[in-house]
Amino acid sequence: MTSHARDGASADGSMNHLLARLPSVDRLLGLAECRSMIEAHGRKTVTESIRAELEAVREEAASGIAPGDLADLLVRIEQRVAAASRASLVPVFNLTGTVLHSNLGRALLPDVAVEAMENAATRACTLEYDVDAGARGDRDLLVEPLLRRITGAEAATVVNNNAAAVLLVLNTLAARKEVLVSRGELVEIGGAFRIPDVMRSAQARLVEVGTTNKTHKTDFENAIGPKTALLLKVHTSNYAIVGFTSGVSRVDLAAIARARGLSTVEDLGSGTLVDLGRFGLPKEPTPQEALRAGIDLVTFSGDKLLGGPQAGIIVGRRDLVRRIRRNPLKRALRVDKLTLAALESVLRLYLDPDRLPERLPTLRALTRAEHEIKAQAERLVPMLQKAMSGVANVTVEACRSQIGSGALPVERMPSYALVVRPQGGQPRRTLTRIERGFRRLATPVIGRMAGGALFLDLRCLDPRHEAAFSAQLAEFRLPPP
Ligand SMILES: *Cc1c(COP(=O)(O)O)cnc(C)c1O
């Protein structure tokens, strides 16, 4: 049928005969099975899948595997069409024990934020329109009043993420000038955000001050020169320097800068807007505190501890925020209406901090009671043990969750996990297969491997999704090695 098949004159004649009988693309497209696939997934996807599957059959034949019949071929085409049509961004169960997992989408939004996003997405809205004045408005004004109320800042603006916020602040205030940073704060966080690199992209010159473990006021004072523009403080969000250490306090840093007409900026990283201590969590610095100590501008993420959408928030002195807004980079880094809709509704929740743990999913996960997680584990263990029968033992064990996304790197919260330990020979290989089996479920389950076992930390298993989680356990299959 194709030159491809005929060329193989030296190959086994019967194989050539089978290949010659493969239906053509056009004939397959005309079959009822393929017509219904076209109806559901479109002609392009089906045609491409047919071509790819015929090609795969010919390649198999070349290595001696005989093609199946038409029914086999149609099943293969259907599977390929289904795979090509599957979304790539799909929900998973985050049972890693890391609440704000950067690779798994960080903060989960509350329902009110989702509603606000839906409205903004599906209807015309006041993104840059002042209804009272009947004139053009400014998208920053949708959240600035709330940010001012919550943080006490004079002004605020929002960009795409905190990396963008730092870049924009440095570029606006320190392009072709020097920025002083303590050597203990030259942070690298995941995803290639490194202070020295961001500094270069912003066209600012980094001047390192002090040593890794100790930086003194005099180190900053002595490093200030005619080209110095600002003093930068970076929250060491994913590590801790302990032992013989000292740093320069915000109050001292602000005083040094003010005496010389310079500005201070703090990259807070996670930046929670409430004192987490009131919910029994370890303390993280807040933008309020930084501003009160005299820092001029503070930047932080929207989707870390704040529990909102991905965003970078800049709060602080009005004159500096005004300069930032005028930077053409601000236009390039601005946020869209969906982000603003979600951010506004999440910020509104902060006006009633007492109810935050029940309303904000991030805080709800972080403050879940140990006994509640344990009870959930005990409810689920029989079903999981059944799914693992003959393959692994399942136990309920105490474990420790972490906040993640560079908040409180050394703190751990007591939690409970379903712990899956392989039985029989070759436990390490079996464990790898078990882990893969969980990832292959309809809603992939992502756990954490440690000490020869798979830990499924239940802190982030929302009770609303518990039934769906246990229902799909019956579908677990141990994949081939
Ligand atoms: C997370 C973090 C950033 C980057 O924030 P994104 O919102 O992910 O861009 C920058 N600085 C610090 C200290 C951080 O912890």
Side-chain angles (χ1 to χ4, degrees):
M1 51 164 280
T2 62
S3 58
H4 198 104
R6 260 181 267 116
D7 283 347
S10 60
D12 173 18
S14 70
M15 193 69 93
N16 277 345
H17 184 67
L18 287 170
L19 281 179
R21 283 170 47 191
L22 276 182
S24 70
V25 174
D26 282 342
R27 173 152 173 253
L28 286 164
L29 281 170
L31 297 177
E33 288 89 340
C34 288
R35 285 212 307 272
S36 67
M37 286 183 226
I38 290 171
E39 189 75 12
H41 303 288
R43 176 172 287 271
K44 185 174 160 61
T45 302
V46 178
T47 310
E48 283 169 3
S49 300
I50 290 175
R51 289 219 171 90
E53 213 48 64
L54 288 174
E55 185 57 34
V57 168
R58 285 187 198 106
E59 270 167 26
E60 285 165 19
S63 60
I65 303 165
D69 61 10
L70 181 63
D72 285 340
L73 185 59
L74 285 169
V75 168
R76 289 174 57 155
I77 292 168
E78 179 146 34
Q79 281 169 351
R80 196 178 278 266
V81 168
S85 309
R86 224 176 342 248
S88 358
L89 187 61
V90 296
V92 300
F93 286 108
N94 170 16
L95 306 188
T96 60
T98 300
V99 177
L100 294 166
H101 198 299
S102 282
N103 305 136
L104 301 179
R106 289 191 186 163
L108 309 182
L109 294 176
D111 292 343
V112 284
V114 177
E115 269 164 48
M117 287 172 88
E118 188 183 336
N119 278 330
T122 56
R123 314 193 53 177
C125 62
T126 52
L127 178 62
E128 289 182 348
Y129 187 77
D130 181 339
V131 176
D132 294 332
R136 190 181 200 286
D138 179 343
R139 68 177 70 201
D140 263 355
L141 296 181
L142 297 171
V143 290
E144 190 186 35
L146 277 167
L147 283 167
R148 288 179 52 193
R149 265 172 87 186
I150 297 165
T151 65
E154 285 177 9
T157 186
V158 180
V159 287
N160 197 30
N161 53 27
N162 186 37
V166 176
L167 176 75
L168 181 60
V169 166
L170 292 176
N171 180 260
T172 307
L173 305 183
R176 289 173 299 280
K177 300 212 180 98
E178 290 173 356
V179 179
L180 273 45
V181 189
S182 160
R183 284 201 169 88
E185 298 178 357
L186 295 173
V187 176
E188 165 175 333
I189 61 149
F193 177 94
R194 310 172 96 192
I195 289 296
D197 298 343
V198 175
M199 203 71 79
R200 211 168 304 122
S201 303
Q203 295 181 321
R205 193 150 81 248
L206 168 67
V207 176
E208 300 178 15
V209 168
T211 63
T212 304
N213 57 325
K214 284 205 173 215
T215 301
H216 305 283
K217 285 199 287 185
T218 49
D219 292 325
F220 275 101
E221 285 162 346
N222 295 339
I224 291 172
K227 305 219 85 188
T228 307
L230 59 89
L231 313 187
L232 176 67
K233 191 169 179 59
V234 184
H235 184 43
T236 57
S237 52
N238 51 4
Y239 63 97
I241 295 181
V242 292
F244 186 59
T245 66
S246 71
V248 178
S249 73
R250 296 186 179 99
V251 171
D252 288 341
L253 200 68
I256 295 167
R258 209 170 298 122
R260 291 157 179 84
L262 304 172
S263 312
T264 45
V265 171
E266 179 161 4
D267 170 12
L268 263 189
S270 205
T272 169
L273 293 174
V274 284
D275 174 8
L276 294 176
R278 68 192 289 168
F279 308 117
L281 290 167
K283 201 180 150 31
E284 246 316 80
T286 61
Q288 292 88 314
E289 274 168 55
L291 293 172
R292 254 192 323 247
I295 300 290
D296 294 317
L297 282 179
V298 181
T299 77
F300 51 99
S301 293
D303 59 348
K304 291 185 179 174
L305 276 173
L306 195 150
Q310 179 189 302
I313 298 167
I314 303 168
V315 295
R317 257 169 58 187
R318 186 174 295 114
D319 58 326
L320 301 181
V321 171
R322 197 178 297 134
R323 281 172 62 190
I324 286 166
R325 287 203 180 111
R326 285 202 217 105
N327 187 334
L329 262 182
K330 167 68 168 65
R331 173 64 176 76
L333 301 172
R334 76 180 183 184
V335 287
D336 76 324
K337 59 184 180 176
L338 301 184
T339 299
L340 285 166
L343 185 59
E344 180 185 359
S345 61
V346 168
L347 289 174
R348 278 191 196 287
L349 299 182
Y350 278 87
L351 299 177
D352 184 4
D354 291 334
R355 296 188 56 196
L356 273 173
E358 59 194 89
R359 291 171 154 184
L360 200 61
T362 298
L363 219 48
R364 202 188 305 142
L366 290 174
T367 57
R368 262 186 99 188
E370 238 179 295
H371 67 83
E372 192 194 313
I373 305 172
K374 188 179 186 192
Q376 188 179 35
E378 277 159 2
R379 275 197 301 280
L380 290 167
V381 74
M383 279 161 284
L384 186 58
Q385 182 61 74
K386 187 156 170 256
M388 294 292 120
S389 79
V391 175
N393 283 321
V394 186
T395 48
V396 172
E397 293 177 28
C399 66
R400 294 192 158 256
S401 326
Q402 55 180 329
I403 296 182
S405 279
L408 303 160
V410 284
E411 305 283 351
R412 293 285 185 278
M413 293 158 294
S415 182
Y416 278 87
L418 294 165
V419 182
V420 184
R421 282 200 175 77
Q423 302 170 333
Q426 299 195 315
R428 276 177 50 193
R429 270 199 213 166
T430 310
L431 183 62
T432 316
R433 290 167 67 195
I434 293 172
E435 190 268 344
R436 200 178 329 131
F438 276 105
R439 280 190 283 116
R440 287 189 182 178
L441 287 166
T443 303
V445 173
I446 318 293
R448 172 173 38 124
M449 308 249 260
L454 178 66
F455 280 69
L456 304 178
D457 183 332
L458 295 183
R459 173 174 294 280
C460 293
L461 181 56
D462 187 327
R464 290 185 298 179
H465 300 142
E466 188 179 316
F469 173 80
S470 58
Q472 72 164 4
L473 289 178
E475 308 300 321
F476 181 91
R477 297 286 173 271
L478 195 64

